Amino acid sequence: MSFLSKSLAVARKETIAELRTREMVFAVLVFTILVIVIFNFTAGVDQEVIRAAAPGLLWATFSFSGTLSLNRTFVREKENGCLEGLMSCPASREVIYVGKVLSNLLFMLVIEIIALLVFTLLFNIYVLSPPLLVITVLATFGFATVGTLFSGLSANTKAREMVLPILFLPIVLPVIIAAVRGSEQVLAGKSWAGLSPWFQLILAFDAVLSVVSFLVFPYVIEE
Amino acid sequence: MKGKESFKTAGLVVALLLFMWALYMIFIFVPTEATMGISQRIFYFHVPLAWLGLLGYTLVFFGSIMYLWKRRSGWDNFSSSAAELGFIFTTLFLISGSLWAKPAWGVWWTWTPRLTTALILWFIYIAYLTVRFYASEKQQGARFGAVVGIVGFVDVPIIAISTSLWRSEHPGALVFQGGLTPEMTFGLMVSIAAFTVLFVYFLAIRTSLKQQEMEVERLRELVEQDQ
């Protein structure tokens, strides 16, 4: 089996586990929609205010819901000694990493796209435009690469879930900044050209951090 | 051991002399800045503190790579000591920035790219120290710390770019209208040298303290086994 097909097998295993238990996506989705509903009470009904605050709200929500869903990646494996089983498979740790990144990317994107739909519906602001979807996919990839690494790390500490946000949020801050600013431009009706500095920033982050995370991941699940 | 000790004492003496020189430069030698007046003199503390914050994390990165490669606890002691010091100096940088911002801009905090980057670096230091604190055993803490040390370091330039891009639409206040005079540059250099020597001195002390702690731990275990 090639590296990619092994990674896809890991991602498939994650997806099947999620479909059977429905532990994570459902709970995180409800959480995400609740945050959007709470936003309604902070921004009021003024369409102008909502439009100005929407990008920040969306990405604050996605950062928190991302943290919540990433936490499950390895905490789930800790129960019943699943991780030991996974590591005794004839697959390298890098394969496990890539498979987990792919499945986390899928789960987070499903949640985010439904959240964008709900947002459009509730606030009458069309946030499902192609440039915004591209920003969402690129930024979520950045979340998934760093988040999967830190999820493996925090699941092995004494405090488990509590550690992930402390590691994850400061590191992904460039992505959050770029995604918020890029989304603002999209909602303001700017063209693709106006978005390019933000795209470049997210792409640079994705490229650098995915390579580094890939290289250091084996040290995280060593024992 | 004796040679090491006298080397350390020499470091302390050099730091002390440099600091006396730096204090003379800062409060007597350098001219008072035209637009901001006396408060600008905090600049000679502020800039060296920023440098030490960055130097600290660079050393953490270097020590982390060496630890994952060689697996010698000495490298871990080195990088965790550098992180503790870097964290303290970054904290002092944020405080001095805040103290300077009040007379200069009338607020305790402004989101300038540099202050924002320093704040995020400060959080990354906290992440590094947190991971070590919550690790279930010492070696795991060293390994996890090294991972955060490496990932955090490569992230810092991206954070710096993102915060300056983010603020580019709202230019901040200009700190210096006319730039630095040669006296000011010289004073700054002396201050940076003094702070750097102090940092290296602290780093040597802290690292060897950690080595000694490990040695004590090892001896205690030996004694307990004998009983």
Side-chain angles (χ1 to χ4, degrees):
Chain A
M1 269 171 110
S2 71
F3 186 94
L4 189 68
S5 54
K6 282 183 191 173
S7 304
L8 287 174
V10 174
R12 188 163 161 263
K13 165 231 160 226
E14 295 289 320
T15 315
I16 292 171
E18 177 55 36
L19 285 175
R20 294 217 176 118
T21 57
R22 289 186 193 85
E23 262 182 347
M24 191 263 290
V25 171
F26 175 73
V28 177
L29 186 62
V30 175
F31 166 81
T32 309
I33 294 170
L34 274 172
V35 174
I36 292 174
V37 170
I38 290 171
F39 170 62
N40 165 59
F41 302 107
T42 62
V45 285
D46 185 348
Q47 194 71 14
E48 282 302 301
V49 176
I50 292 172
R51 189 170 283 274
L57 166 91
L58 275 178
W59 286 98
T61 310
F62 291 167
S63 312
F64 298 143
S65 66
T67 318
L68 210 60
S69 60
L70 285 163
N71 253 327
R72 292 302 299 168
T73 320
F74 282 92
V75 170
R76 181 148 69 187
E77 303 280 5
K78 292 297 269 185
E79 293 158 9
N80 308 323
C82 291
L83 193 59
E84 284 74 16
L86 194 58
M87 280 170 71
S88 60
C89 290
S92 66
R93 282 155 197 166
E94 284 88 350
V95 165
I96 299 175
Y97 174 71
V98 174
K100 295 255 184 195
V101 168
L102 291 176
S103 57
N104 279 329
L105 182 64
L106 177 69
F107 300 156
M108 282 196 276
L109 280 177
V110 167
I111 293 163
E112 286 167 356
I113 287 171
I114 298 175
L116 286 174
L117 268 170
V118 172
F119 197 90
T120 305
L121 213 83
L122 290 181
F123 293 105
N124 198 26
I125 297 176
Y126 190 64
V127 286
L128 272 168
S129 58
L132 216 142
L133 287 176
V134 175
I135 291 175
T136 306
V137 172
L138 291 178
T140 309
F141 179 73
F143 282 5
T145 56
V146 177
T148 306
L149 172 75
F150 287 152
S151 168
L153 202 158
S154 61
N156 284 303
T157 61
K158 279 183 284 189
R160 298 230 173 150
E161 291 91 335
M162 303 307 295
V163 178
L164 181 63
I166 300 177
L167 301 177
F168 174 72
L169 293 174
I171 298 287
V172 296
L173 202 90
V175 173
I176 299 176
I177 291 176
V180 170
R181 277 295 151 103
S183 309
E184 265 174 26
Q185 308 277 330
V186 174
L187 289 187
K190 295 268 170 65
S191 65
W192 286 86
L195 294 170
S196 74
W198 305 115
F199 276 133
Q200 284 168 14
L201 190 63
I202 303 178
L203 283 171
F205 181 96
D206 287 359
V208 174
L209 269 298
S210 61
V211 171
V212 173
S213 305
F214 179 82
L215 290 175
V216 296
F217 181 76
Y219 297 105
V220 165
I221 51 165
E222 203 162 67
E223 61 263 46
Chain B
M1 277 315 263
K2 196 112 197 284
K4 240 181 181 174
E5 284 308 308
S6 56
F7 189 69
K8 277 182 206 153
T9 318
L12 183 62
V13 171
V14 172
L16 197 71
L17 291 174
L18 273 173
F19 259 102
M20 282 160 66
W21 189 19
L23 285 174
Y24 166 76
M25 298 297 274
I26 294 166
F27 290 105
I28 298 166
F29 178 76
V30 296
T32 303
E33 209 267 334
T35 46
M36 285 191 296
I38 197 88
S39 72
Q40 184 266 336
R41 284 174 203 257
I42 201 172
F43 167 80
Y44 303 99
F45 295 99
H46 189 63
V47 174
L49 292 170
W51 148 246
L52 293 185
L54 288 173
L55 176 70
Y57 213 86
T58 312
L59 296 176
V60 171
F61 174 66
F62 178 69
S64 299
I65 289 182
M66 292 307 284
Y67 176 76
L68 289 184
W69 183 25
K70 301 278 184 197
R71 292 305 167 104
R72 293 246 296 275
S73 58
W75 284 114
D76 178 53
N77 289 336
F78 174 80
S79 42
S80 58
S81 304
E84 288 168 4
L85 289 170
F87 173 69
I88 291 169
F89 284 108
T90 309
T91 310
L92 292 174
F93 171 80
L94 293 173
I95 293 172
S96 68
S98 187
L99 288 177
W100 192 10
K102 186 67 183 167
W105 299 319
V107 285
W108 292 110
W109 181 265
T110 57
W111 295 96
T112 64
R114 275 183 214 142
L115 271 180
T116 312
T117 306
L119 182 66
I120 307 308
L121 178 65
W122 188 74
F123 276 114
I124 294 177
Y125 270 123
I126 292 181
Y128 178 90
L129 298 170
T130 307
V131 163
R132 302 183 65 91
F133 179 76
Y134 283 119
S136 41
E137 36 107 21
K138 215 169 160 33
Q139 280 197 339
Q140 191 198 52
R143 215 153 26 85
F144 286 0
V147 166
V148 178
I150 292 168
V151 175
F153 182 78
V154 297
D155 200 33
V156 170
I158 307 177
I159 294 171
I161 295 168
S162 67
T163 52
S164 60
L165 258 180
W166 167 61
R167 289 294 293 193
S168 63
E169 294 135 55
H170 314 266
L174 280 176
V175 177
F176 297 107
Q177 302 289 347
L180 297 177
T181 67
E183 288 94 342
M184 286 172 164
T185 313
F186 189 53
L188 178 64
M189 289 303 147
V190 174
S191 186
I192 287 177
F195 271 100
T196 309
V197 172
L198 184 73
F199 184 93
V200 172
Y201 171 72
F202 279 159
L203 184 61
I205 295 283
R206 186 70 182 111
T207 309
S208 78
L209 195 65
K210 287 196 174 187
Q211 302 281 39
Q212 287 163 10
E213 277 171 6
M214 287 177 74
E215 185 64 15
V216 168
E217 193 65 28
R218 193 181 66 84
L219 291 173
R220 183 177 289 150
E221 273 168 24
L222 273 180
V223 170
E224 277 167 7
Q225 274 171 15
D226 281 349
Q227 278 168 354

